[in-house]
Amino acid sequence: TKDLNNITKIEKIDATGGGAYKFSSYVKNNCSIEFIKHDELQSLKFGYQFMNSFNSFYEIDENTISKVNSDLKFPHISANIGSGVRILKVSSPSKYERVGGTLMGGGTLIGLSKLIFGIDDFEEILKLASKGKCQNVDLTKKDLKESNDNSDNMSIASLGKIHELIQSGKKAEIKKEDIALSLLNMICSHIAQYSVLYAEQHKIDSIYYFGSFTKKNSIVNDILNKSSKYWNKNIKVRFNNFGGYLGAIGTLIEKKN
């Protein structure tokens, strides 16, 4: 039997990200534990630079995942995707600056999914989206002109067919799987375009996507990769096996330093 009196009481926890602020009062009042808050972007930088030593970066080429050994190059664009998106220009291991971001991120996907489907579980949303087909609800080039060119199946307006389907009495044809994929595609394409534009503005050819929104073997990363290459076919796109945990890892590295 363990002697509970010998267990060291945890009084402080190093934390970063939105949760470090959102849950700070709750944890302090209910658990008597204080969060030592770390700057989110600083923690992220420490985290992924440390994990680079473990060859944890990978790229996606034609749906094939390939490990990239010690890949971190400077300068690069770092896009951290959580509820929203923060975009950094990282010039060296010690020099970085926030150059932009967007309000459209994981929080947008979950909020809209809750409103439309009543689903607010990220994994369930991705599972739903993986069964969908954007072209069923998105307006495409092919919808505006008669064409047999497969490239004309590209979406030009997310959910652009919804109004017409309802007006023509075809509401039953609208599937939640298609809407889920359209929402995900809209958000990922938006993030990718922003990231590429910032990369081009600063004459940078590498983008690293991080955050809890990015998951290995996920449809999210596939869309981010393809969308980035659509806007700039020469851009190098990288992901990390520990994308959602790099900030937490970074707080430990920062504390040790």
Side-chain angles (χ1 to χ4, degrees), residues 163-181:
H163 176 71
E164 181 182 342
L165 288 169
I166 294 175
Q167 288 291 96
S168 58
K170 298 179 180 179
K171 185 176 180 180
E173 295 182 13
I174 302 173
K175 299 178 181 179
K176 59 183 181 181
E177 291 88 349
D178 299 332
I179 294 177
L181 181 57

Side-chain angles (χ1 to χ4, degrees), residues 5-171:
N5 292 324
N6 292 330
I7 297 177
T8 302
K9 185 179 185 304
I10 296 174
E11 297 180 345
K12 296 181 180 181
I13 294 177
D14 292 89
T16 190
Y21 293 88
K22 182 177 180 180
F23 301 110
S24 179
S25 296
Y26 179 86
V27 172
K28 187 171 184 177
N29 294 334
N30 291 275
C31 306
S32 299
I33 295 175
E34 180 185 354
F35 280 170
I36 305 301
K37 302 178 184 67
H38 292 252
D39 179 80
E40 181 177 6
L41 302 182
Q42 178 85 337
S43 295
L44 172 68
K45 180 178 72 71
F46 274 120
Y48 74 76
Q49 289 184 16
F50 175 77
M51 293 310 298
N52 184 50
S53 304
F54 298 90
N55 299 326
S56 57
F57 285 102
Y58 64 91
E59 65 180 358
I60 303 173
D61 183 24
E62 297 297 329
N63 298 322
T64 300
I65 293 177
S66 303
K67 186 169 69 172
V68 184
N69 296 333
S70 301
D71 177 67
L72 201 55
K73 302 292 190 300
F74 298 94
H76 62 259
I77 290 293
S78 167
N80 185 32
I81 312 171
S83 297
V85 183
R86 291 148 295 279
I87 300 176
L88 306 179
K89 172 189 175 183
V90 185
S91 302
S92 72
S94 59
K95 184 180 179 181
Y96 73 95
E97 61 178 314
R98 180 172 179 170
V99 293
T102 169
L103 302 176
M104 190 178 290
T108 314
L109 177 67
I110 292 174
L112 289 174
S113 296
K114 180 67 173 179
L115 182 67
I116 298 171
F117 319 119
I119 300 174
D120 58 6
D121 181 86
F122 186 53
E123 296 295 343
E124 286 298 314
I125 296 169
L126 295 189
K127 188 183 296 185
L128 194 64
S130 67
K131 301 174 184 177
K133 186 176 180 181
C134 283
Q135 290 77 13
N136 290 338
V137 291
D138 288 357
L139 195 65
T140 68
K141 288 183 179 180
K142 210 167 189 177
D143 295 314
L144 303 180
K145 62 177 184 178
E146 292 186 5
S147 171
N148 293 319
D149 188 346
N150 287 332
S151 66
D152 285 345
N153 276 321
M154 183 184 74
S155 299
I156 60 173
S158 299
L159 305 176
K161 282 183 185 172
I162 297 290
H163 176 71
E164 181 182 342
L165 288 169
I166 294 175
Q167 288 291 96
S168 58
K170 298 179 180 179
K171 185 176 180 180

